[in-house]
Amino acid sequence: MCRVVDLRQAVLAKNDAAAHTLRTELTARATVVVNLLSSPGSGKTALLERELLLARERAVAVAALTADLATENDALRLARSGVPVRQVLTDGLCHLEAAMLRRHLDGWLPEETRLLFVENVGNLVCPASYDLGESLRVVLASVTEGEDKPLKYPTAFGTAQLVVITKTDIAEAVGFDEAAFRAHVQQVNPGVEVVRTSARSGEGVGLLLDRALAVASGARTHTPVMAARQPHGHPDVPDHEHEHSHGPDHDHGHDHVHPHPHPDEHPALPQTR
């Protein structure tokens, strides 16, 4: 008799267990993880840089870990905020996993960190399947990506606890239909909050920080219908959506820690409304 083993489910189940352990440990030390997912070029690094600067102005203890297949460009940008930043290079892996994240946090994350922003690999497919032990999952989409993005990537948008529209300063120029986008988001994730932001104009800067601080203070987060239906807390993603084939114990990535620049090396933020 042949026994069929679903390796994908086994890998995800192992990741869920690691994520649960990490979430429990970080919650015990009052650290909230914010997992940022988006396509490449959505503007999440620019927005995160503004949010980190604002957090520093407000004396909020934050840190950021950013993941990319190659280059340290994003970490160098985020390090200008003056907060602890670590770059993880995944060497081709299209997402982060909970065990990988934990290994990169060990010995690096300051004990007093209240918020840890994780900028996941630019990809709306693979990262959506992996719980990182986050307390807030945020999916970002720029106005240049099209109103049907939520319908094309229902797993990512369907498991979000907050959806952020970026680059709103050029929405009119590119003909972005915001009403249609919001309708599509609600179609795959009823009740999730959708906010507008522009790192360039300053619109909505601080909203991401405010929502994360609310979670840190005990506020309840949105429960996506898609996530609630899954037995292991992860979406049931078809096999073809996984862009890699590695064993459950395979590890990718190496990291680089960036020094904090002098406090006066970054510009002041404009007031937000």
Side-chain angles (χ1 to χ4, degrees):
M1 177 182 293
C2 293
R3 180 184 178 186
V4 178
V5 178
D6 190 336
L7 293 179
R8 175 178 57 87
Q9 290 293 339
V11 170
L12 291 176
K14 182 176 181 179
N15 181 81
D16 291 338
H20 175 74
T21 299
L22 180 59
R23 184 181 293 107
T24 300
E25 293 176 353
L26 291 177
T27 298
R29 54 182 273 180
T31 299
V32 166
V33 176
V34 182
N35 186 7
L36 306 176
L37 288 75
S38 80
S39 299
S42 68
K44 66 178 179 294
T45 304
L47 179 61
L48 181 55
E49 185 177 4
R50 296 291 301 271
E51 298 287 341
L52 295 177
L53 285 167
L54 186 58
R56 193 165 181 273
E57 285 192 347
R58 294 182 182 178
V60 178
V62 298
L65 181 146
T66 181
D68 279 301
L69 277 66
T71 83
E72 299 179 45
N73 295 346
D74 289 351
L76 291 172
R77 290 174 58 185
L78 297 180
R80 295 184 303 201
S81 66
V83 310
V85 173
R86 169 159 285 193
Q87 175 77 59
V88 175
L89 299 181
T90 65
D91 295 327
L93 188 64
C94 60
H95 63 274
L96 286 173
E97 297 178 9
M100 183 193 308
L101 176 61
R102 179 174 183 170
R103 282 190 286 274
H104 290 294
L105 297 183
D106 286 345
W108 167 72
L109 187 67
E111 188 66 31
E112 70 277 8
T113 303
R114 191 175 185 194
L115 301 176
L116 170 63
F117 289 94
V118 177
E119 185 180 10
N120 218 314
V121 179
N123 186 331
L124 282 177
V125 182
C126 302
S129 301
Y130 287 83
D131 182 358
L132 298 183
E134 69 262 25
S135 295
L136 182 63
R137 174 174 289 206
V138 182
V139 175
L140 304 90
S142 72
V143 299
T144 61
E145 296 179 62
E147 300 80 9
D148 60 348
K149 201 80 169 188
L151 302 181
K152 290 182 176 180
Y153 299 91
T155 300
F157 286 90
T159 58
Q161 293 165 299
L162 176 67
V163 174
V164 177
I165 303 173
T166 62
K167 304 184 182 181
T168 55
D169 55 297
I170 61 172
E172 184 176 355
V174 299
F176 178 63
D177 187 341
E178 184 174 335
F181 177 84
R182 288 177 176 270
H184 293 154
V185 169
Q186 295 305 316
Q187 184 176 333
V188 299
N189 193 348
V192 69
E193 182 182 15
V194 180
V195 299
R196 294 169 47 92
T197 67
S198 168
R200 176 174 293 180
S201 73
E203 179 184 11
V205 172
L207 287 174
L208 181 56
L209 178 61
D210 288 343
R211 299 302 186 272
L213 285 172
V215 173
S217 297
R220 296 184 61 182
T221 57
H222 169 70
T223 302
V225 174
M226 181 178 293
R229 288 176 177 172
Q230 304 308 320
H232 300 295
H234 60 74
D236 188 10
V237 183
D239 290 332
H240 70 272
E241 292 196 6
H242 290 272
E243 300 174 1
H244 68 286
S245 56
H246 59 76
D249 297 317
H250 187 65
D251 183 29
H252 288 263
H254 52 282
D255 55 78
H256 300 268
V257 181
H258 291 266
H260 306 175
H262 188 277
D264 297 328
E265 288 183 5
H266 63 78
L269 282 175
Q271 292 293 322
T272 58
R273 299 180 181 177

